[in-house]
Amino acid sequence: MDMEAIPVIAIGGSTAVAIAVGLLFWFFQRHQTAQPNHLPPVPEVPGVPVLGNLLQLKEKKPYMSFTRWAEAYGPIYSIRTGAISMVVISSNAIAKEALVTRFSSISTRRLSKALKVLTADKTMVAMSDYNDYHKTVKRHILTAVLGPNAQKKHRVHRDIMMENLLNQLHTFAQKSPQQEVNLRKIFQSELFGLAMRQTMGKDVESIYVEDLGTTMNRDEIFQVLVVDPLMGAIEVDWRDFFPYLKWVPNRKFENTIQQMYTRRQAVMKALIQEHRKRIASGENLNSYIDYLLSEAQTLSEKELLMSLWEPIIESSDTTMVTTEWAMYELAKNPKIQDRLYREIQQVCGSEKVTEEKLAQLPYLNAIFHETLRRHGPVPIIPLRYVHEDTVLGGYRVPAGTEIAVNIYGCNMEKVVWENPEEWNPERFMVEGDETQSLELQKTMAFGGGKRVCAGSLQAMLISCIGIGRMVQEFEWKLKGKAAQEDVNTLGLTTQMLHPLHAIIIPRK
């Protein structure tokens, strides 16, 4: 409290004593609240005045810096990003404490300005606070798209997607033998088609966007709905770090993000209008939009639009990142690829790898889990906000602090993972019993607790079947020297710096 700011007034002696006692009581109560159980504060990473640790986080891969600092300052430490205090967690045990045990104290989000705009102020499951709205829209998406029963209903769409993918790979191998295929280009396009069929009932080749006065082709639609928002999500507004200066204009940033938002809204609005025309003509496609229009009539137009956009962007990106990394590692490690092929041959014979066979393919599952651990698509869980004083890792964490759970750092934790830098699927095979794999949650790849990722089942099904089918039908090789292993942050996910280019040889 700034004592100079308190006005000097004439008061009686008894009143002064009462006020003094009240102030002392307030001070000690506040002191007690700020120090639960008199625990020590979280260790701090030294920074500079005003800026804190901002200059040390200039790269757009903060999870790397966070992991390096964990080696020096421990699995939990605090940093300052301008005026904001942030606690960074790079430990499986403390991450689970934050996501599960202390969930009630840190269940809300504090979004950057870019994310606040792009998510229409938290109007989507992944970025909303844990409240009634979150529970409602999550129930909708699990019921109609991502839950077990919905996944059974959408099995036909996944099968179509997988056949399209393999057919394109066979066509390429036949027409361009010994040439390198760009897996990302083909796979990402097919994932986008799957997302559109599940959400809007059918894929789209082009659409007239009335609000923009133009017709967009499929690539342009993908750019607006997926690529631009992912890039916009990591746009930095310096005012995020200095909230007391939020009144200062930052026109270039504001215009860039607002344009992304406006174009995305216009395209989604056009897709919804197109679907309503199909409904009026009597066409029923049994998709997510059909479900929402009939079962979620309490949603506003903006909430409906965001609910439909969310499965499109999420289905089109993270699964691609995981599958591409897995195929890169298999192409780089022919012995592991051969072992997987032999397992598939033993279980499936001449039949194709199917979802029913996954439980009998432990090594395939181990490859999926290990890829999630070593190359997890979401390296940092979207920031949480501590709205009441709490305790983490034996330290006191005051209200107002941001929490960054560094999933990448958790999966590089040497006390949990032996030689964590090495990609080794063996670590997910139970010793002495190769018919089982360790639990998925150990990697923290899909978060944990009440906010565990709703799309984990779909991601596992698509990625595992994709990896299995591509190894079953092709031998994968890297041309010459193995591609440089590097990542580039694209929105909220990590992906290979360059798309995977590999030689594929059809198996006899």
Side-chain angles (χ1 to χ4, degrees):
M1 178 179 291
D2 184 359
M3 299 303 292
E4 294 180 355
I6 300 177
V8 179
I9 55 175
I11 52 176
S14 59
T15 305
V17 170
I19 292 175
V21 170
L23 286 171
L24 283 171
F25 178 79
W26 169 83
F27 173 79
F28 284 116
Q29 184 182 45
R30 185 173 181 272
H31 191 66
Q32 281 286 110
T33 303
Q35 303 182 58
N37 302 321
H38 305 286
L39 293 172
V42 177
E44 294 183 8
V45 177
V48 298
V50 183
L51 296 178
N53 303 99
L54 277 177
L55 295 178
Q56 298 156 281
L57 292 169
K58 289 185 293 184
E59 62 178 345
K60 287 191 175 182
K61 292 182 281 189
Y63 55 93
M64 294 284 195
S65 300
F66 289 168
T67 303
R68 288 194 297 269
W69 286 339
E71 295 179 1
Y73 300 99
I76 178 171
Y77 55 82
S78 69
I79 63 173
R80 290 198 69 80
T81 54
I84 305 298
S85 177
M86 180 186 294
V87 166
V88 180
I89 298 169
S90 299
S91 156
N92 279 268
I94 302 175
K96 289 176 181 176
E97 182 183 1
L99 298 177
V100 181
T101 309
R102 308 294 180 187
F103 177 77
S104 61
S105 301
I106 57 172
S107 61
T108 56
R109 303 282 198 206
R110 176 182 276 174
L111 302 185
S112 66
K113 179 64 174 177
L115 280 174
K116 189 173 183 180
V117 173
L118 292 171
T119 66
D121 196 11
K122 304 183 181 181
T123 315
M124 58 188 295
V125 177
M127 296 296 177
S128 61
D129 291 333
Y130 189 76
N131 51 25
D132 288 342
Y133 176 78
H134 171 90
K135 295 173 186 176
T136 297
V137 290
K138 187 171 184 177
R139 184 176 69 251
H140 289 326
I141 200 169
L142 284 172
T143 300
V145 184
L146 300 175
N149 290 333
Q151 285 293 288
K152 291 177 183 177
K153 182 181 71 174
H154 292 303
R155 168 71 179 273
V156 61
H157 296 316
R158 293 194 301 280
D159 288 345
I160 291 171
M161 177 214 142
M162 208 56 63
E163 291 306 319
N164 289 345
L165 170 66
L166 272 298
N167 287 339
Q168 289 188 65
L169 291 176
H170 278 290
T171 299
F172 180 90
Q174 184 179 9
K175 291 183 176 179
S176 308
Q178 296 304 310
Q179 297 297 310
E180 296 172 294
V181 68
N182 182 338
L183 175 62
R184 183 186 301 177
K185 183 178 181 180
I186 298 173
F187 192 56
Q188 195 166 50
S189 176
E190 289 303 325
L191 279 172
F192 181 58
L194 171 67
M196 293 299 292
R197 284 189 290 272
Q198 290 184 155
T199 305
M200 306 304 300
K202 63 192 302 182
D203 200 355
V204 59
E205 290 303 321
S206 66
I207 192 168
Y208 177 70
V209 183
E210 183 177 355
D211 289 356
L212 301 180
T214 186
T215 297
M216 288 189 173
N217 62 33
R218 193 173 187 273
D219 289 342
E220 291 170 328
I221 295 169
F222 180 77
Q223 182 75 30
V224 170
L225 296 186
V226 179
V227 178
D228 288 348
L230 286 170
M231 295 303 295
I234 58 169
E235 285 292 324
V236 176
D237 182 357
W238 59 267
R239 296 172 302 180
D240 288 332
F241 308 119
F242 303 99
Y244 50 83
L245 295 177
K246 63 183 179 181
W247 54 272
V248 178
N250 187 359
R251 299 297 183 209
K252 182 178 179 182
F253 167 84
E254 291 168 354
N255 292 339
T256 298
I257 299 301
Q258 190 59 45
Q259 185 182 46
M260 289 180 180
Y261 174 83
T262 301
R263 287 170 62 81
R264 193 266 318 276
Q265 300 294 91
V267 172
M268 287 302 303
K269 182 179 174 182
L271 289 171
I272 293 171
Q273 289 173 338
E274 189 71 18
H275 185 81
R276 282 179 165 146
K277 290 178 184 177
R278 291 199 294 266
I279 293 176
S281 69
E283 187 177 3
N284 184 1
L285 296 171
N286 193 23
S287 58
Y288 190 32
I289 186 171
D290 290 306
Y291 170 86
L292 289 179
L293 290 175
S294 63
E295 302 295 332
Q297 296 179 0
T298 59
L299 294 181
S300 67
E301 190 73 14
K302 181 180 74 173
E303 291 167 346
L304 171 67
L305 188 153
M306 292 300 295
S307 291
L308 290 168
W309 173 68
E310 183 167 11
I312 293 175
I313 187 171
E314 291 174 356
S315 297
S316 301
D317 184 60
T318 53
T319 305
M320 182 278 297
V321 173
T322 302
T323 308
E324 184 179 38
W325 272 113
M327 297 312 297
Y328 165 78
E329 292 286 4
L330 288 167
K332 193 175 75 168
N333 295 275
K335 290 184 179 179
I336 295 177
Q337 183 181 166
D338 185 60
R339 177 176 171 182
L340 173 60
Y341 177 67
R342 285 187 279 111
E343 178 185 76
I344 292 171
Q345 286 294 93
Q346 183 178 354
V347 173
C348 301
S350 60
E351 297 179 355
K352 296 176 181 178
V353 175
T354 62
E355 295 177 8
E356 291 78 15
K357 298 286 188 181
L358 287 181
Q360 303 172 52
L361 296 166
Y363 201 59
L364 173 57
N365 282 278
I367 287 168
F368 173 69
H369 295 332
E370 175 64 352
T371 304
L372 282 178
R373 184 200 67 81
R374 182 62 185 83
H375 305 293
V378 182
I380 300 174
I381 289 179
L383 300 181
R384 301 282 182 90
Y385 176 69
V386 179
H387 54 265
E388 62 183 25
D389 296 346
T390 190
V391 175
L392 286 173
Y395 298 103
R396 68 175 185 266
V397 180
T401 305
E402 288 189 341
I403 300 290
V405 178
N406 181 21
I407 296 298
Y408 176 85
C410 292
N411 289 331
M412 292 291 112
E413 196 177 11
K414 293 180 181 178
V415 297
V416 177
W417 309 100
E418 184 179 352
N419 300 320
E421 293 289 337
E422 179 184 347
W423 183 80
N424 177 20
E426 294 291 332
R427 72 176 84 244
F428 280 93
M429 303 297 290
V430 176
E431 187 176 352
D433 183 359
E434 294 193 354
T435 64
Q436 301 179 45
S437 60
L438 298 181
E439 72 277 10
L440 173 63
Q441 285 74 19
K442 189 174 180 181
T443 65
M444 302 292 292
F446 295 109
K450 295 179 180 179
R451 297 203 67 139
V452 67
C453 176
S456 57
L457 174 59
Q458 175 172 277
M460 183 188 70
L461 290 173
I462 294 173
S463 192
C464 284
I465 295 300
I467 295 166
R469 286 286 303 275
M470 285 190 282
V471 169
Q472 183 182 37
E473 299 187 29
F474 299 95
E475 180 183 357
W476 291 73
K477 293 183 176 182
L478 297 177
K479 189 173 183 178
K481 195 173 182 180
Q484 179 185 0
E485 187 169 317
D486 198 356
V487 294
N488 182 28
T489 302
L490 178 59
L492 301 180
T493 63
T494 60
Q495 64 175 233
M496 296 177 65
L497 181 60
H498 304 291
L500 171 62
H501 287 83
I503 297 171
I504 54 174
I505 304 170
R507 299 187 188 272
K508 296 180 181 179

